[in-house]
Amino acid sequence: MVDETTGTPTRPADGRPPEISSMRRRIDEIDATIIGLWQERAGLSRQIGRMRLASGGTRLVLSREQEILARFRAGIGDEGTQLALLVLRAGRGPL
């Protein structure tokens, strides 16, 4: 929005620049996508775990978990390890 007399950008009544509202809407969209993907991933991981157990395998494959931890750490940095641990726990449940 622009003030027609001065030509300067105006702010909504809450005082925030309008770009903030737009960026927050985009963040909300991204969050919804992350939640959906989180749920899909966890479901797939649980299915794989059940299939491994049913075929006589172990519930966890530590080498696979190490790959995932490394991928998240490489892509995100140190915080990626913590995120990966949460993602892994969501898929396998508590140990």
Side-chain angles (χ1 to χ4, degrees):
M1 298 170 23
V2 174
D3 183 311
E4 293 180 16
T5 39
T6 64
T8 58
T10 59
R11 293 180 180 218
D14 63 8
R16 281 187 300 217
E19 298 83 8
I20 289 177
S21 294
S22 175
M23 287 187 262
R24 284 184 174 164
R25 278 192 299 278
R26 182 63 185 133
I27 285 172
D28 292 344
E29 292 169 0
I30 292 168
D31 288 348
T33 300
I34 290 169
I35 290 166
L37 291 171
W38 179 283
Q39 292 169 337
E40 179 182 0
R41 188 196 188 288
L44 289 168
S45 183
R46 285 190 294 271
Q47 286 178 357
I48 290 168
R50 285 192 297 269
M51 292 170 71
R52 273 198 320 259
L53 285 173
S55 66
T58 61
R59 188 171 94 145
L60 300 177
V61 176
L62 294 179
S63 61
R64 173 70 177 155
E65 292 203 356
Q66 290 298 319
E67 289 173 18
I68 293 165
L69 287 166
R71 183 180 323 126
F72 273 72
R73 189 171 33 259
I76 298 172
D78 291 338
E79 293 85 5
T81 301
Q82 294 304 312
L83 180 57
L85 289 169
L86 291 171
V87 167
L88 290 169
R89 191 172 80 198
R92 62 170 142 71
L95 295 176

